Amino acid sequence: MRIPPQLERIWPSMPVIGALLFTSVLLLLFGASPLESYAAMWEGAFGTQAKLLSVIAFWIPLVFSSAGLLLTFKAGLWNIGIEGQIILGSIGASWVALNVDAPSYLLIPLAILASMIAGALWAALTGLLKTRGGVHEIFGGLALNNLAIILTNFLISGPWQPPEGGTFRGTQPFQDGVLLPRFADSRFSPLSLVLLVVAYGLVVLALRNTFWGLKLKALGQNARSAFLLGVSSNREAVIAMMFCGALAGLGGGVRVLSWFDSLRQSISGGIGYLSLLVVMLAQFRLLWVPLIALFFSVVLNGSITLQLRTQLHSSLGGILTGITVLFMLLFGDAKRLGFNTLSEEDDDE
Amino acid sequence: MRVELNNIRKSFGSVHANDGISMTLESGRVYGLLGQNGAGKSTLMKILAGYQSADSGEIRLNETLTQFDSPAAALRAGIGMLYQDPLDFPPFSVLENFQLGRREGIFLDQKTASRELLALGKRYNFDVDLDERISNLSPGERQQLELIRLLAGGANVLILDEPTTGISSEQKQQLFDSIRKLAREENKTVILVSHKLSEVQELCDHVFVLREGQLAGKSEIPCPMDKLVKLMFAKMPPRSKRPAYKFGQAVLDVRDLHVETYRLRTENLNFSVRAGEVLGLAGLEGSGQDLLIKALAGLLTPKSGEVLLRGEDITRRPFHQRQRAGIAYVASGRLEEGLIADLSLVEHMVLSTEKPGFLVNWERAGEATQDRIAKYQVVGQPASRAKQLSGGNQQRFLFAMLKPALKLILMEHPTRGLDIRSANWIWDLLNKRRDEDTAIIFYSADLDEVIERSDRIAAFSGGVMSRMVNAAETSVDELGHLIGGQQ
């Protein structure tokens, strides 16, 4: 059986459709109306301007880290440490927010720069552990994720605790000058959207048109041949990790500077792990990444309203995303389901 | 056990690996199976050991027609094969490894297994330390354990595939003693697959020689070396009709080089290659020529010695620095080492460019690729992915990626898989590089190619490099002796 080209183009959306159908069956089993539930979810995501802005504000850091992961995945690296890189980005921005006294037009660029540097250095650690120490990036990344969480907890209950006493809740609110200008009293900052468009454009350019992007691609597909063709695998691996870390860190910075106004516990909210799923789901289709991220953002934000509206728990959003991922793994390799994809067609010699 | 092979045939695509081979092997004897690479030795033995099935032909064990569908089935019928790379589990202890091969119940019976293992070790004079990790053993010791495993499994016919590669000479003597004992005292049938004439002479009672998938001849041992050499190697190939060329100064000097891997060691390498010269390395695969090429390329770090490129010491320079210094390396595995299956030809060409700049001009790169693949007669488009090319075209494309003005080109099996016309074309282009003072060192499984394309030839045997011979004056006899390990 051969997949027609039209179908192949929308193949990445198949898991989403499959998951929606599957979840509908689940809802029916629980005696809830799927239509009503999805309507509530839609309402929760797009019902009011505030809700829509919230969806976008959540989406922005998610796309930042997804953009970073495009680079590392291209190079064949499993950057599970992305979660820690987001957290370190938050910490970097918080350091500027709590320690630097400057006018806003200096403070904001400084905070953003600090978040990128912190994320990049944290990612470089994973890269160096891999290339110098032989520690696989998955294990190095997981360990550094835990360290990043511990570091946050230490900071908010220790050196950066609010004057009224240390709790594990967070630092005191930042000075106003460092917060990104927000739109209509929401958590959405247009400035972060501008940064995102620029960053995403640069990533696309790097992957499509630069020599560096080509090296990453070669490395990810066959490290041995890439080496023989002159690509220094260790160096490129560390650099790819650092760029990814910088983007993830920027996402973390946006999170403390606009979504919150202080450094909190579990600051990343699982955005890092979510972005891994986004990029895997998109399978390197660059334009699909923002769309899939948007889908996740809609589902997760929408399910909060779902709980208020119906008796169903908001974890339905989690179930829906989880099942999407399972369907993605199932549909991801079309060949395994017995289809010939278009791209394999011309390989027969 | 008496083993009869009747008219065994096996083809891989259009290649007849075994083209109607018949032989009879009696109990209590040691047989040698000789032949060049690709003569069909391994294929024949894998068929006998149940690793693959023949297209046609029959196997009779003690007059009974037999068929195996797996190595385990062959071992149950009494046939065991000892591979060059031992089939053991390095993280296991010696005892655990042995137990894995035994038929154990649900619970492991440590006591019986260890008693059995120690008894077998004693019987064949092998030191067995039950608790040692396999990964800490030498290749020779691992081989002994494998042998014990096969014997404990009930093997009456033992096939040993190049068993002396990579083991010390004491271990070799120990192995040979055990083999003699197995044949004389326990009436086992032993087959020694080898390319070392001296070993066959030392150990075997009979020898079968394969050439190009057929039985070229058989003989009792002892027999004159000349006879075996003539059976192994076909007649002299035509000499190349290359224009005479005056070699320039030395491009490469190798002094007392010592290269070693866990399998093999090659040392005391001393030679020079001059500008415009082609040095061919003969020898059966894995005899040390690959170590030399990899050490020169910078992929293996030598234990000691010096490598000078135009007088400059590059012994410790890594691969990429040597690449920039003008050394090119063409590996034997195309899609594993050299090409990237899913990358297009343009992308390959850009990657192999010296200083491509930050942004890639895909249009211009596409045109350059088009020119290059036309020159090298690659059938494909710049946008074709590497895996879409046929094997021969992949090989031509590897050559198309070679940079201009190289000092030294290192090649493994340069024209494997190419037809004569393409091979000639590739060599014509390579020979043109003499005008740029490029030197070439290559090895090939195809002895004809080595003789035809080289200026000088050295042969490798068990890690020892022979003296250099002049390609225009040597004979198949002389080379056969050198490849067989005689100086």
Side-chain angles (χ1 to χ4, degrees), chain B residues 213-288:
Chain B
Q214 292 177 328
L215 188 63
K218 56 182 168 183
S219 168
E220 297 279 317
I221 299 283
C223 99
M225 279 291 186
D226 295 8
K227 187 177 164 191
L228 293 181
V229 168
K230 276 194 185 114
L231 286 173
M232 266 175 86
F233 298 100
K235 57 185 188 311
M236 198 70 183
R239 309 289 168 156
S240 62
K241 294 176 278 291
R242 287 184 297 159
Y245 183 83
K246 199 168 164 298
F247 301 127
Q249 295 194 322
V251 170
L252 183 80
D253 289 292
V254 174
R255 291 181 194 155
D256 296 321
L257 196 67
H258 173 178
V259 193
E260 199 174 317
T261 63
Y262 80 99
R263 293 195 66 83
L264 189 66
R265 154 222 298 259
T266 174
E267 52 192 335
N268 295 327
L269 301 176
N270 279 293
F271 62 91
S272 302
V273 184
R274 291 160 291 177
E277 190 174 24
V278 180
L279 171 63
L281 305 177
L284 291 122
E285 207 144 330
S287 299

Side-chain angles (χ1 to χ4, degrees), chain A residues 205 208-211 214-215 217-218 221-222 224-232 343-344 346-347 349, chain B residues 299 319-320 323 335-340 342 347 350-351 356-360 362 385 387-390:
Chain A
L205 180 77
R208 289 205 175 143
N209 286 63
T210 66
F211 185 55
L214 180 59
K215 287 199 280 191
K217 186 176 177 186
Q221 298 207 7
N222 181 339
R224 175 75 183 163
S225 287
F227 177 83
L228 292 177
L229 284 168
V231 179
S232 164
S343 40
E344 297 300 319
D346 25 28
D347 295 335
E349 285 182 36
Chain B
L299 295 168
F319 179 79
H320 288 139
Q323 223 174 22
L335 281 184
E336 299 81 39
E337 304 176 294
L339 300 178
I340 299 167
D342 275 311
E347 287 175 319
V350 173
L351 273 177
F358 180 69
L359 286 177
V360 178
W362 289 115
R385 282 177 290 166
K387 67 175 181 189
Q388 293 172 314
L389 300 185
S390 69

Side-chain angles (χ1 to χ4, degrees), chain A residues 9-47:
Chain A
R9 219 167 294 135
I10 58 157
W11 190 253
S13 61
M14 293 301 282
V16 176
I17 295 167
L20 278 174
L21 289 174
F22 191 90
T23 316
S24 304
V25 174
L26 265 186
L27 286 168
L28 285 173
L29 285 176
F30 282 111
S33 148
L35 276 181
E36 202 180 305
S37 307
Y38 292 136
M41 231 184 227
W42 182 269
E43 174 76 29
F46 303 111

Side-chain angles (χ1 to χ4, degrees), chain B residues 410-484:
Chain B
L410 304 166
M411 305 186 291
E412 304 175 347
H413 305 296
T415 59
R416 182 147 77 183
L418 294 185
D419 56 65
I420 304 258
R421 210 185 58 87
S422 321
N424 283 335
W425 178 249
I426 293 290
W427 274 106
D428 282 347
L429 288 170
L430 285 169
N431 284 329
K432 279 197 191 118
R433 287 179 178 261
R434 298 176 144 205
D435 299 330
E436 297 163 357
D437 283 345
T438 307
I440 295 175
I441 305 179
F442 78 101
Y443 72 81
S444 170
D446 180 359
L447 188 61
D448 293 357
E449 179 173 37
V450 175
I451 296 174
E452 192 179 342
R453 311 294 184 182
S454 311
D455 296 307
R456 283 189 301 161
I457 301 172
F460 275 83
S461 170
V464 181
M465 183 173 168
S466 73
R467 63 194 151 84
M468 295 258 182
V469 298
N470 190 331
E473 290 156 11
T474 188
S475 65
V476 167
D477 264 13
E478 185 182 34
L479 280 176
H481 278 97
L482 294 177
I483 291 170

Side-chain angles (χ1 to χ4, degrees), chain B residues 84-106:
Chain B
Q84 271 189 46
D85 286 304
L87 300 172
D88 53 15
F89 294 82
F92 280 23
S93 77
V94 166
L95 183 60
E96 286 168 334
N97 187 66
F98 180 67
Q99 287 179 305
L100 195 69
R102 263 165 56 100
R103 314 197 131 233
E104 293 266 2
I106 295 176

